[in-house]
Amino acid sequence: MKEYRIVLGEKFNLPDEDCVLQFEVVNFDSSKKTYNLLKLFELPVDVEKIFLNNWQSWGSCDFFSVGLDISKYFEVPPAKDFVLAFTPEPELFREKDKLMSDYFVAFSNVLIGFLKSEFSHNFFVYDKGKKTISAYVDLFGKELETGEKLVLEPLVVLKNKKIEKLLETYGALVAEKNNISADKKVRVGWCSWYHYFTNITYDELKKNIEFLKNLKEKIPYQFVQIDDGYQKDIGDWLETNSKFPEGLEGIVKSIRDAGFIPGIWLAPFSVSETSTVFKEHKDWLISDENGEPKVAYRNWEKNIYGLDLSNEEVLDWLKNLFKELKNKGFEYFKIDFLFAGAIPGKRKKIVTPIEAYRVGLKTIKDTIGDSFLLGCGAPLLPSIGIVDGMRIGADTSPEWFEDIVAPFPNSKVALRNVITRYFMNKRWWNNDPDCLLLRKEDINLPENVRRLYSFVSAALSNMVIESDDMELVDEEGLQTFVESLKLCDGEPRVFNLDTDEKVYVIGVKGLLDGNYILVANLENKEYEIEIPEDAKLWTGLREEKITVPPRDVVVVRDKIRKLKVERARRKDDNRLVNYYWDGDENC
Amino acid sequence: MLETRYNPLTDEWVMVSSSRSARPVLPSENACPLCPGVLELEKDYDLATFENRFPALKVDAPDVVQESELLKKIKSKGVCEVVMYTSEHDSALPRMSLNQIEKLIFVWRDRTFEISRNDFIKYIFLFENRGKEVGATLSHPHGQLYAFPFLPKRIQVKVNSMRGYYHKNKKCVLCDIVEEEIEKNERIIYQNESFIAIVPFYARFPYEVHIYPKRHVTSVLDLVNKEIEDFARALKVVTMKYDKLFDQEFPYMMCFFQKPFNLNEVFDDFFHFHVEFYPPKRDKDKIKWMASVETGTWNFINPSLPKEVADRLKSIEVNLDD
């Protein structure tokens, strides 16, 4: 692909072909200069719909009408307390006549996207009045000496392809540029959050471990992850509260003794106003213009602050924290609310929020080594190459609400992102679609919705994590899990991301069990969907139309004849031998 | 010694596997090392695969010591397996039942699926060397697979050509070739609902035949049930025609070209799975040698007209029940 180098300020026309654009800023002034928000270019774009992406795990990624007023969702609590979670550019974000898209934007068979975010925040703004799209880079006060040049982060322009091909090509280019080799294995586990929330207790954890142990033959659970609710406070992670009298050691022992990988949740860049860290180390926090600690967000009915990851003392504290957790036996770390480390504000060193964030994240990864690191509430591009897994949608919920924009606990919003961000999976990291909820009680999701979430997450080969009180999961729920796992491990493509109704056609090929088409209906009425030609070509299936009930899923599969396989190692030299016999499970 | 060396003159990798010089020679008929219970396979089998005793690539390949900045080496980390088509010693692809060939396709799919789960594997090459003329040391029907940690040179060339055509024309080159060959119907020697077998316009060997799926599929893993049945038919018809050509067991190299795996590129839209047969014979008793021009320049001189060869192969009647 052709690369163009452009000095910012020079006349420049966007090439007609696919290309990489590499902008440079040069300080031509006679004194040191500070750089903040830079506009790289502005394009006229007259469209009805535009594909937007929010910078963070929980944020939306979808086609939206250009008339959308995103600001109305962020003017009322709880969203009001979370604006910095959804953008490091809150003023621009709230403007009624603008739509922001972080990292990439797509419209009319064109995608423009940044390939990296290692030091700047890179985004696009659609101006409703001018009908233009502008590309921006925020350098957050980076300084250049006279004559000094800064090469900005590259962006790619892709044209003349359908949206799914644009996204997949963009995903592959980002992976290539960041030298990513995401592993292909699907991970299966259990998490305490979506049944117990913060009310999890040691006894309930042990009860669930026992259930999971007894299900091992049926479902290959690998890890058990304790979520929020075990710790003394946000920031005081090594001390457990009174519900966990055996401490972290007890949690690890119970999980490990049952043969699972011990996993733990924490929000390592967040500090609550009641925590010991806050009381003893206010100088460790990102501060506002007056030097006062800056509230990153409100949660747990408390003000939460972000750690200054440019401060060596903070990094040492992080290192010790994760070393300690690893030494205790945890090997799976879900780190949440990560945006808190990347909010704009004053830091000890002159670094951008993105640079500070990456140093903090790398410190954690370097400390835990081969253990699995799952990011959540995280700026996406700056996390690439550091995390092993990433939440790519809002929190799911035991509830389903129809509004598809609001990024708050809602299984519909969460599932929409699982579909629209499918192209990131196995390219940038392992996508975490958030948990499958398969219980029948203490839940407002009917069986069809539980199946819909489960099948779609598995078909797109995401991580598969259940979050239930296992005592409440009946045979039907377990069967849904087992059926879901049979859908994993193929090569998926979503063929109608530009649909007005949220009824998606997903084609999956490359599986020993046979290719299939899955239609996921996120709407509350029945649809008869005409299968796109491209989906038929991808899968080899010839289905013309598939009818799918409201909020449900239909899978049409080409059943392939299979053989029985016995995999063995030779006794003398340990070479692998596979013996194949007739014994067609599928017929 | 087992290592892979870089040739900076041609930008290609050479696998050094000195233990291969000790590989078994043709055994007597009653001591075939591939028959059940003799040497390689301890148990009876219908079909089987096993890791090569003398591999050019292996999962736990030894570390390498660099010779210099210029003369680079990498570990020969990969997989080399032997694929047993049947336990029947005297069988062969053209004599196998369609049912057995379909089972063989399952084995190819299984190995491709399993091996491609390893991130370090970038290319899985399935092939068969049939006959002494192409170096086959054992006559028991079998093929092999090499799973490489890099893209071999000719695969790179194929990928680059297919990608270039796709970017220019927004279409897959093999989809276009299939369409044109079906329309002209001059070089097709066999076709069914899912596949065509042709002597290609650009054949390098006199009796070269390619099998192309009509649908745009990228590897054996993409095939649906009907295509597996049709693929088995195509393989059987082509190899039966070969054997009837000179009324002898016709030697060939059969090579499968699948898309690369575990690389940061979307190959699915431009890479089209296909099979190429390279028979070394130019006549009943004459060999088409890979001589200086072919080996030195990679340029082939084909002494036959593909259309005439296609007419000849097409006219050979075969009975699939044989």
Side-chain angles (χ1 to χ4, degrees):
Chain A
M1 199 178 298
K2 225 174 184 176
E3 281 198 31
Y4 293 88
R5 286 223 157 201
I6 306 130
V7 175
L8 197 62
E10 283 181 356
K11 200 175 168 204
F12 151 75
N13 291 319
L14 199 66
D16 280 334
E17 63 200 333
D18 288 1
C19 61
V20 172
L21 305 177
Q22 186 80 69
F23 285 87
E24 300 172 354
V25 249
V26 184
N27 180 8
F28 292 114
D29 288 2
S30 55
S31 58
K32 189 193 274 186
K33 197 171 164 185
T34 301
Y35 290 85
N36 286 295
L37 201 57
L38 301 176
K39 188 195 276 192
L40 306 187
F41 57 82
E42 185 167 7
L43 299 172
V45 173
D46 192 1
V47 291
E48 299 279 308
K49 286 197 301 185
I50 187 164
F51 196 79
L52 304 172
N53 175 67
N54 184 266
W55 82 315
Q56 206 249 72
S57 305
W58 308 328
S60 292
C61 178
D62 203 351
F63 273 104
F64 289 105
S65 153
V66 292
L68 174 73
D69 180 5
I70 196 87
S71 65
K72 73 177 183 190
Y73 292 95
F74 290 87
E75 282 163 3
V76 287
K80 202 177 173 188
D81 296 327
F82 269 93
V83 168
L84 286 175
F86 293 99
T87 180
E89 313 286 343
E91 289 79 22
L92 260 174
F93 188 73
R94 284 192 177 107
E95 284 189 32
K96 283 187 167 51
D97 62 340
K98 300 219 167 45
L99 286 173
M100 281 181 73
S101 189
D102 299 298
Y103 310 129
F104 64 91
V105 68
F107 50 88
S108 311
N109 292 345
V110 174
L111 182 146
I112 309 175
F114 286 88
L115 296 173
K116 284 183 168 213
S117 176
E118 291 186 349
F119 57 87
S120 55
H121 179 58
N122 310 319
F123 61 100
F124 299 87
V125 173
Y126 176 76
D127 187 310
K128 297 177 191 174
K130 288 159 75 180
K131 293 186 178 172
T132 58
I133 282 179
S134 302
Y136 286 95
V137 161
D138 197 342
L139 291 168
F140 301 99
K142 211 171 181 64
E143 293 176 338
L144 293 186
E145 299 289 342
T146 299
E148 195 182 348
K149 181 172 85 177
L150 177 68
V151 179
L152 300 178
E153 293 180 300
L155 54 87
V156 68
V157 181
L158 301 170
K159 293 186 169 182
N160 301 321
K161 287 191 180 83
K162 289 184 178 170
I163 184 68
E164 63 271 14
K165 292 183 186 178
L166 288 171
L167 291 170
E168 288 180 27
T169 305
Y170 170 63
L173 286 167
V174 168
E176 176 73 21
K177 200 75 181 173
N178 291 275
N179 206 17
I180 306 300
S181 180
D183 79 58
K184 304 289 183 286
K185 294 170 194 81
V186 170
R187 282 181 171 74
V188 184
W190 182 89
C191 157
S192 60
W193 182 247
Y194 287 102
H195 179 80
Y196 296 99
F197 299 98
T198 54
N199 299 321
I200 182 70
T201 64
Y202 189 41
D203 286 343
E204 284 297 311
L205 176 68
K206 283 193 290 188
K207 181 191 84 179
N208 276 284
I209 290 170
E210 203 52 35
F211 270 100
L212 296 168
K213 195 173 144 188
N214 293 333
L215 286 169
K216 252 184 171 177
E217 295 232 324
K218 197 168 189 177
I219 299 174
Y221 294 106
Q222 296 161 313
F223 61 87
V224 170
Q225 178 236 311
I226 179 88
D227 213 283
D228 188 2
Y230 66 89
Q231 74 282 0
K232 183 184 157 211
D233 205 337
I234 302 300
D236 301 335
W237 306 107
L238 295 174
E239 287 177 69
T240 50
N241 55 40
S242 58
K243 294 179 293 162
F244 289 85
E246 305 287 320
L248 294 172
E249 291 81 358
I251 296 173
V252 168
K253 189 171 183 319
S254 301
I255 299 172
R256 182 169 281 166
D257 284 355
F260 301 111
I261 295 167
I264 190 167
W265 170 96
L266 64 163
F269 300 158
S270 294
V271 167
S272 91
E273 60 186 330
T274 52
S275 67
T276 311
V277 178
F278 179 80
K279 285 171 195 157
E280 294 179 358
H281 299 288
K282 289 201 177 62
D283 57 321
W284 285 8
L285 308 176
I286 300 163
S287 56
D288 61 19
E289 287 148 11
N290 304 317
E292 292 299 315
K294 180 173 176 174
V295 176
Y297 60 102
R298 268 192 72 75
N299 203 19
W300 304 280
E301 297 177 348
K302 293 173 184 178
N303 284 338
I304 307 293
Y305 301 90
L307 283 170
D308 173 3
L309 301 168
S310 76
N311 185 330
E312 290 297 334
E313 285 180 27
V314 172
L315 297 177
D316 284 344
W317 175 83
L318 267 181
K319 250 183 250 172
N320 288 335
L321 168 63
F322 279 88
K323 199 172 159 192
E324 193 78 3
L325 291 170
K326 173 122 179 159
N327 286 345
K328 285 183 193 300
F330 289 106
E331 292 175 65
Y332 175 97
F333 297 87
K334 178 178 177 182
I335 52 173
D336 206 350
F337 293 89
L338 293 181
F339 68 90
I343 61 168
K346 273 190 172 174
R347 288 172 170 79
K348 191 171 181 189
K349 286 186 188 159
I350 301 176
V351 293
T352 69
I354 306 304
E355 285 170 318
Y357 170 79
R358 282 178 58 84
V359 169
L361 205 57
K362 271 186 188 163
T363 300
I364 294 172
K365 185 60 185 166
D366 289 347
T367 307
I368 64 167
D370 287 342
S371 293
F372 192 87
L373 189 63
L374 174 64
C376 187
L380 299 175
L381 270 197
S383 307
I384 281 193
I386 309 175
V387 296
D388 303 295
M390 177 65 95
R391 256 284 286 288
I392 41 72
D395 273 23
T396 189
S397 164
E399 305 274 349
W400 177 281
F401 305 111
E402 280 305 316
D403 194 332
I404 202 78
V405 181
F408 304 106
N410 176 356
S411 46
K412 182 176 181 182
V413 173
L415 185 58
R416 185 273 320 273
N417 263 38
V418 174
I419 295 167
T420 54
R421 282 183 174 159
Y422 83 98
F423 68 96
M424 298 175 183
N425 194 32
K426 313 290 182 208
R427 292 196 171 94
W428 298 1
W429 45 54
N430 286 275
N431 274 7
D432 169 15
D434 211 359
C435 299
L436 313 185
L437 311 183
L438 298 171
R439 62 184 182 270
K440 269 187 173 166
E441 296 171 39
D442 283 348
I443 194 166
N444 279 329
L445 303 176
E447 191 204 338
N448 49 306
V449 173
R450 301 197 296 268
R451 182 174 52 235
L452 168 66
Y453 205 104
S454 194
F455 279 19
V456 171
S457 299
L460 295 170
S461 266
N462 291 274
M463 297 173 74
V464 186
I465 308 165
E466 178 165 12
S467 190
D468 287 308
D469 173 351
M470 295 305 292
E471 199 174 356
L472 304 180
V473 182
D474 64 4
E475 198 50 42
E476 205 169 37
L478 294 175
Q479 199 49 37
T480 302
F481 204 155
V482 171
E483 291 299 317
S484 301
L485 293 177
K486 287 182 186 166
L487 298 172
C488 285
D489 256 348
E491 297 174 46
R493 179 171 274 182
V494 183
F495 288 92
N496 59 339
L497 287 167
D498 55 352
T499 176
D500 286 329
E501 298 84 18
K502 301 297 170 200
V503 186
Y504 296 100
V505 177
I506 300 170
V508 181
K509 63 173 185 169
L511 279 163
L512 285 179
D513 279 342
N515 303 343
Y516 62 91
I517 289 174
L518 179 151
V519 183
N521 182 0
L522 277 62
E523 302 290 358
N524 196 17
K525 68 173 192 178
E526 182 178 286
Y527 277 90
E528 186 185 57
I529 290 292
E530 201 163 309
I531 303 304
E533 282 305 313
D534 283 356
K536 291 187 219 166
L537 195 62
W538 183 262
T539 59
L541 271 71
R542 294 172 183 185
E543 244 64 25
E544 294 295 333
K545 288 179 177 175
I546 294 176
T547 300
V548 55
R551 295 175 186 166
D552 208 337
V553 61
V554 171
V555 179
V556 177
R557 189 160 207 165
D558 176 64
K559 288 213 168 178
I560 293 267
R561 175 189 178 183
K562 289 179 75 179
L563 300 182
K564 276 186 185 162
V565 189
E566 182 194 334
R567 305 195 195 282
R569 290 270 169 196
R570 283 177 64 98
K571 286 186 194 111
D572 54 354
D573 54 15
N574 203 38
R575 279 183 292 145
L576 176 68
V577 183
N578 297 293
Y579 294 97
Y580 297 87
W581 298 97
D582 268 322
D584 190 346
E585 295 163 9
N586 268 343
C587 286
Chain B
M1 174 178 285
L2 187 69
E3 61 185 34
T4 299
R5 297 179 172 192
Y6 183 67
N7 178 349
L9 300 181
T10 54
D11 181 35
E12 68 187 317
W13 293 97
V14 178
M15 297 178 293
V16 179
S17 175
S18 55
S19 64
R20 288 179 61 77
S21 55
R23 69 188 190 273
V25 289
L26 271 173
S28 60
E29 218 176 77
N30 58 359
C32 168
L34 303 180
C35 279
V38 175
L39 177 68
E40 297 292 4
L41 295 140
E42 291 158 324
K43 300 200 318 196
D44 194 9
Y45 62 88
D46 186 359
L47 299 97
T49 68
F50 62 88
E51 284 181 307
N52 201 312
R53 183 177 289 269
F54 304 110
L57 298 159
K58 59 195 282 193
V59 173
D60 56 348
D63 287 331
V64 292
V65 179
Q66 289 302 334
E67 184 136 339
S68 72
E69 275 282 297
L70 180 64
L71 303 174
K72 288 186 284 188
K73 298 173 182 175
I74 56 169
K75 276 167 79 163
S76 289
K77 190 173 180 176
V79 179
C80 286
E81 289 186 357
V82 178
V83 180
M84 302 309 305
Y85 294 2
T86 166
S87 58
E88 287 176 32
H89 180 85
D90 293 324
S91 188
L93 205 48
R95 294 195 290 277
M96 279 159 57
S97 68
L98 286 171
N99 180 42
Q100 191 69 16
I101 300 174
E102 283 175 31
K103 288 195 275 185
L104 174 58
I105 295 169
F106 173 83
V107 173
W108 286 329
R109 285 166 51 84
D110 179 62
R111 298 318 298 143
T112 300
F113 183 83
E114 286 292 321
I115 293 169
S116 67
R117 303 296 107 173
N118 297 297
D119 292 341
F120 63 91
I121 295 299
K122 308 302 177 195
Y123 199 74
I124 300 172
F125 185 62
L126 302 160
F127 65 97
E128 180 190 347
N129 293 326
R130 186 189 190 208
K132 288 179 216 157
E133 295 85 347
V134 293
T137 50
L138 303 167
S139 65
H140 193 122
H142 71 284
Q144 297 183 61
L145 74 82
Y146 276 26
F148 296 89
F150 54 83
L151 285 193
K153 191 71 188 174
R154 188 152 183 265
I155 306 303
Q156 279 180 37
V157 171
K158 278 191 179 249
V159 166
N160 289 341
S161 297
M162 288 182 176
R163 183 199 294 116
Y165 184 92
Y166 180 79
H167 283 161
K168 194 173 166 193
N169 302 286
K170 308 294 171 206
K171 283 157 87 185
C172 157
V173 63
L174 254 177
C175 286
D176 277 359
I177 288 171
V178 167
E179 196 180 313
E180 186 164 333
E181 289 291 354
I182 289 173
E183 195 185 311
K184 286 192 172 142
N185 198 14
E186 287 178 351
R187 286 176 286 267
I188 296 175
I189 63 164
Y190 170 77
Q191 69 171 311
N192 55 37
E193 199 180 319
S194 315
F195 286 84
I196 61 168
I198 64 170
V199 180
F201 171 76
Y202 33 78
R204 300 184 301 169
F205 292 86
Y207 289 99
E208 185 166 332
V209 167
H210 293 188
I211 297 178
Y212 301 149
K214 290 181 178 175
R215 181 169 71 90
H216 181 83
V217 300
T218 58
S219 78
V220 286
L221 281 173
D222 289 2
L223 299 173
V224 295
N225 229 3
K226 170 71 179 147
E227 288 165 339
I228 289 172
E229 288 168 19
D230 285 348
F231 187 32
R233 283 173 185 274
L235 288 168
K236 186 166 170 74
V237 167
V238 169
T239 52
M240 284 180 89
K241 282 177 183 274
Y242 272 160
D243 275 10
K244 280 186 121 180
L245 182 65
F246 300 126
D247 281 328
Q248 58 178 208
E249 294 214 343
F250 196 68
Y252 57 72
M253 294 170 269
M254 177 179 73
C255 303
F256 283 35
F257 296 95
Q258 316 197 69
K259 71 172 177 182
F261 292 95
N262 302 314
L263 286 169
N264 287 323
E265 183 171 355
V266 183
F267 296 97
D268 298 87
D269 297 312
F270 65 79
F271 197 96
H272 196 123
F273 166 67
H274 56 287
V275 180
E276 299 185 0
F277 285 85
Y278 316 129
K281 291 210 164 180
R282 62 187 169 92
D283 212 333
K284 187 170 184 175
D285 303 313
K286 288 177 186 157
I287 294 289
K288 159 73 186 167
W289 294 105
M290 281 278 286
S292 300
V293 174
E294 288 83 358
T295 309
T297 71
W298 222 22
N299 251 96
F300 279 67
I301 303 155
N302 187 346
S304 306
L305 261 180
K307 186 188 176 315
E308 287 172 7
V309 175
D311 286 343
R312 197 166 165 196
L313 285 169
K314 192 177 179 177
S315 68
I316 297 171
E317 298 285 339
V318 293
N319 183 353
L320 283 174
D321 296 328
D322 286 353

